[in-house]
Amino acid sequence: MSVGILIPVLLVLAALGFVLGKRQALALSDSQKTKLHSLPGYYGQTVALFTAVPALFLLGAWLILQPMAIESRIGGMIPDSVIPEGGARSLVMSDVRRIAGGLDAVLALGGMGEDELVRIGENLSTVRSRLAEVGVALVGDVPPVVFEAARAYRQDVKTGNMAMSVVVLVLAVALGLWAYRRIQPDMRARNVTESFVKSLLIAASMVAVLTTLGIVGSLVFETISFFKIYPASEFFFSTVWNPQFRGGSELGILPLLWGTLYVSLIALLVAVPIGLMIAIYLAEYASKTVRSLAKPAIEMLAGIPTIVYGLFALITVGPFLRDWLAQPLGLGTSSSSVLTAGLVMGIMIIPFVSSLSDDIINAVPQALRDGSYGLGATQSETIKQVVLPAALPGIVGAVLLAASRAIGETMIVVLGAGAAAKLDLNPFEAMTTVTVKIVSQLTGDTEFASPETLVAFALGLTLFVFTLGLNVLALYIVRKYREQYE
Amino acid sequence: MNSISTMITTTTSTTKAATMSESKISARNVQVFYGEKHALRDVNIEIRPRSVTAFIGPSGCGKSTFLRCLNRMNDTIASCRVEGSIGIDGENIYDPKVDPVQLRAKVGMVFQKPNPFPKSIYENVAYGPRIHGLARKKSDLDDIVASALQKAGLWNEVKDRLQESGTGLSGGQQQRLCIARAVAVSPEIILMDEPCSALDPIATAKVEELIHELRSNYTIVIVTHSMQQAARVSQRTAMFHLGLLVEENDTDKMFTNPDDQRTQDYIMGRFG
């Protein structure tokens, strides 16, 4: 039974459980002449929840764990001799998976049974062409071991799926029955449902927390192994970034950090004044119609993929700045520059500043504005001296959120600012940022244990700590602001 | 009439109002619309200087709307339209030549809910004088702030903590701070929109006492839901009902022997 069928079956079982549970509760209450503790629907809900939820969880866990288990078992079947020179076991494994998938298609196409596979296996030279017929292209002939592995893989997947369906359904029915048997008129079904739902919600929030922990964990782990082979003091304090893939690299973070901060600073210099003015206009001056049109239009800026911004920087803004500013001023001849990336990134984060600030300015109580107008203040005096100071902590929070967005941006920098790691003040020079270097260190054919690769994790962790700090600061400021009016 | 004449004789500084006419504010055929809704119909009223006039009436009767017409606060509501004329010292404030911002410096306002700015106590009071350029030197400003706080009866409570936030005061203190803030601009008229509705009885008593004292220097118009309050603080009372000015009379007469049956019913608690 496939997952596509299993889930509807579980849902039907749950619905059935709901109806039966409700009926049972009513029947018991009638026969025992007692009042139900909760509304009848809650008794049904307990049955439905116990039927569906644990079974669905098991299903999810199974779907994650089964491939891992099968993979490790089949992987063990493949001897080192079939692994090509310079290749990896994982490549062979992906072949196995593709062949297994191909065999399914071959069987389905020819309407053949399982025993047919044995025959195909005896004549391996035909396997490649038959697989090609169903759209699975292989590089060379299939070694017998790999074919056997593929067969075993299919077998395992089949049994695994079968076992999964059985176990999941049994669990659903068993827990459903248990919950059904538990129904008594004085059972606190409402409380049971409440706590069940509460634990579901907790589980959902745990997903986010655990993911964060997982990300941090993997970063920290790799960073530690980086610092084992590369001195931390060099990494944090060296001003040279010069990775050599033959070894002897200098991997100082300072030029990258400088590039990141410089680009982000320019981006903020663009985004904060413009964004803030947009927010003030939208919140204080714009009519309802203008606001309802302008706000989504501005927010659309945030929805443009960053690669598109990158292209804009590469082919429009960069050459324009070079031809009209950098060259006439004698400041540089490069079309990729910090200024290009900063300007384009600034445009990208305008909606972060404007939208959040607009909400915050709107949250300033009208009573404060009335108080100011009532004293004979003009609109701009009111905004400058009452509304903005009251909204300032929230606006700072918005700016910091925009800043952490800018610091994490990659695509615009690759295309707009270039890839040269430099410590320079000239905004028309090409520079690069931490994120860009993470990408370039991890792409390409490199072994995974060299400092040149592992440095990416140290860079990532530094960046993570940086933006995390900014976010914490932003949240702290925003929270402080909230306390003021409640 | 007796009370008016004594008031005029005690007038010392603003003789202008007294000489031009007996009334400080005179409204003629005022109509107010909120979009399609006709909120006020044909209001005519004369408000006397240096006295307290109370507006009473059931919720939604238009009394707050009319109050907000007196300093053109309704301008901040986009859908609101005002017709007719309201004269202050003989000048129609709805004349296109009139700058509502300057008008509001002359006609201060205190709101239903205390709304101090999230600034220090000092800055709250100094705000108005600053934007109107009333003080040249820091010491002048200090004097204005101190005297406004004294007039609002708040000086003794806050003189040692002028730099603390105005929002940290109690509700009653906040409201008196708002009164001090209005007084600091030296208005001639102070409008109060249910100034005590968010306060406890003790804070209310203090504010009422304050209104009593302010009466000798300012023309005060107060909207209130409390009949007792109207009776305690005001000399004249106007009764609004369904957008109409039903009756306007001396407070004593209003609460003992009103001319209009609707006023009688409202005061007796038969509706509203």
Side-chain angles (χ1 to χ4, degrees), chain A residues 210-434:
Chain A
L210 290 178
T211 313
T212 314
L213 286 181
I215 292 172
V216 175
S218 68
L219 278 179
V220 167
F221 190 72
E222 301 289 347
T223 305
I224 289 172
S225 50
F226 169 69
F227 283 137
K228 274 185 194 148
I229 49 179
Y230 193 87
S233 58
E234 289 259 322
F235 174 71
F236 284 117
F237 300 113
S238 164
T239 56
V240 182
W241 173 267
N242 184 19
Q244 300 285 327
F245 281 100
R246 279 175 234 99
S249 317
E250 288 175 277
L251 302 170
I253 194 176
L254 287 180
L256 308 184
L257 217 47
W258 168 247
T260 301
L261 294 180
Y262 202 0
V263 173
S264 306
L265 179 75
I266 293 176
L268 288 178
L269 285 180
V270 173
V272 171
I274 297 180
L276 214 51
M277 286 193 265
I278 292 174
I280 291 170
Y281 173 70
L282 286 182
E284 298 286 331
Y285 292 95
S287 68
K288 268 199 183 129
T289 359
V290 173
R291 194 180 138 90
S292 67
L293 291 175
K295 208 175 174 193
I298 292 163
E299 277 164 5
M300 231 164 62
L301 279 179
I304 299 175
T306 55
I307 185 76
V308 176
Y309 278 109
L311 292 175
F312 179 56
L314 182 72
I315 59 174
T316 314
V317 180
F320 175 83
L321 287 178
R322 179 193 58 198
D323 297 342
W324 292 92
L325 280 174
Q327 280 183 337
L329 292 172
L331 285 171
T333 53
S334 158
S335 74
S336 348
S337 66
V338 172
L339 194 60
T340 309
L343 283 180
V344 175
M345 201 192 284
I347 292 167
M348 183 190 75
I349 58 175
I350 283 175
F352 286 79
V353 179
S354 72
S355 241
L356 285 171
S357 304
D358 173 40
D359 292 344
I360 289 156
I361 292 174
N362 261 322
V364 173
Q366 182 61 30
L368 286 185
R369 296 188 184 90
D370 284 349
S372 177
Y373 293 141
L375 288 168
T378 62
Q379 191 163 14
S380 70
E381 281 166 345
T382 302
I383 292 167
K384 263 184 304 196
Q385 300 188 33
V386 175
V387 177
L388 284 186
L392 188 67
I395 291 172
V396 171
V399 169
L400 288 180
L401 287 181
S404 59
R405 183 80 177 74
I407 287 172
E409 178 47 43
T410 314
M411 242 34 240
I412 295 175
V413 184
V414 176
L415 295 174
K422 250 181 266 177
L423 268 171
D424 203 324
L425 272 175
N426 182 354
F428 293 101
E429 281 287 342
M431 275 182 221
T432 196
T433 64
V434 176

Side-chain angles (χ1 to χ4, degrees), chain B residues 204-264:
Chain B
T204 302
K206 281 195 176 159
V207 172
E208 285 181 6
E209 205 177 301
L210 177 57
I211 294 172
H212 226 68
E213 286 164 18
L214 293 174
R215 190 186 62 175
S216 52
N217 285 311
Y218 305 93
T219 305
I220 294 173
V221 185
I222 178 171
V223 165
T224 177
H225 266 134
S226 155
M227 247 77 73
Q228 290 88 339
Q229 184 170 63
R232 281 194 298 264
V233 301
S234 72
Q235 286 76 57
R236 298 281 290 181
T237 299
M239 159 78 190
F240 287 80
H241 183 48
L242 298 175
L244 291 171
L245 175 59
V246 171
E247 180 176 357
E248 196 242 336
N249 227 324
D250 282 340
T251 299
D252 294 343
K253 173 147 180 11
M254 193 85 157
F255 284 100
T256 49
N257 184 22
D259 294 336
D260 194 285
Q261 185 58 39
R262 286 167 292 184
T263 316
Q264 175 85 32

Side-chain angles (χ1 to χ4, degrees), chain B residues 1-218:
Chain B
M1 278 303 142
N2 186 26
S3 61
I4 301 292
S5 57
T6 49
M7 246 172 267
I8 290 172
T9 51
T10 55
T11 301
T12 47
S13 58
T14 47
T15 45
K16 190 181 158 203
T19 50
M20 279 176 71
S21 80
E22 234 182 45
S23 52
K24 181 77 178 167
I25 305 170
S26 87
R28 298 251 179 279
N29 307 325
V30 174
Q31 320 265 357
V32 179
F33 303 86
Y34 288 117
E36 292 295 300
K37 189 174 171 265
H38 200 162
L40 269 187
R41 294 160 195 272
D42 222 12
V43 174
N44 289 286
I45 190 171
E46 305 289 326
I47 292 172
R48 302 173 187 180
R50 286 159 201 274
S51 69
V52 179
T53 304
F55 291 174
I56 61 169
S59 296
C61 66
K63 56 192 188 302
S64 285
T65 298
F66 184 64
L67 188 77
R68 290 168 66 94
C69 289
L70 300 181
N71 67 345
R72 293 187 57 177
M73 275 303 274
N74 284 332
D75 290 14
T76 59
I77 300 167
S79 64
C80 182
R81 191 156 54 84
V82 180
E83 288 173 7
S85 79
I86 296 174
I88 291 182
D89 295 338
E91 187 189 17
N92 181 11
I93 59 170
Y94 279 91
D95 191 291
K97 280 183 304 202
V98 170
D99 178 5
V101 167
Q102 277 178 348
L103 168 72
R104 290 183 200 134
K106 188 164 144 185
V107 186
M109 188 156 195
V110 176
F111 297 84
Q112 187 169 359
K113 218 180 129 218
N115 57 350
F117 304 131
K119 299 170 182 277
S120 70
I121 293 169
Y122 182 93
E123 286 301 322
N124 260 286
V125 183
Y127 180 76
R130 273 217 180 111
I131 56 176
H132 294 297
L134 297 185
R136 297 211 165 175
K137 295 196 301 262
K138 175 83 170 71
S139 59
D140 291 350
L141 193 61
D142 289 348
D143 292 345
I144 292 176
V145 170
S147 104
L149 284 169
Q150 273 157 2
K151 280 182 198 153
L154 197 61
W155 178 248
N156 287 331
E157 289 160 64
V158 301
K159 64 178 180 224
D160 300 324
R161 45 177 179 145
L162 290 176
Q163 296 311 319
E164 284 174 32
S165 173
T167 51
L169 296 172
S170 74
Q173 288 173 325
Q174 286 189 12
Q175 195 61 299
R176 279 180 284 147
L177 178 62
C178 292
I179 294 174
R181 190 172 73 181
V183 166
V185 193
S186 310
E188 292 167 24
I189 301 166
I190 299 177
L191 309 175
M192 299 185 172
D193 190 356
E194 297 180 42
C196 300
S197 66
L199 305 183
D200 67 37
I202 294 170
T204 302
K206 281 195 176 159
V207 172
E208 285 181 6
E209 205 177 301
L210 177 57
I211 294 172
H212 226 68
E213 286 164 18
L214 293 174
R215 190 186 62 175
S216 52
N217 285 311
Y218 305 93

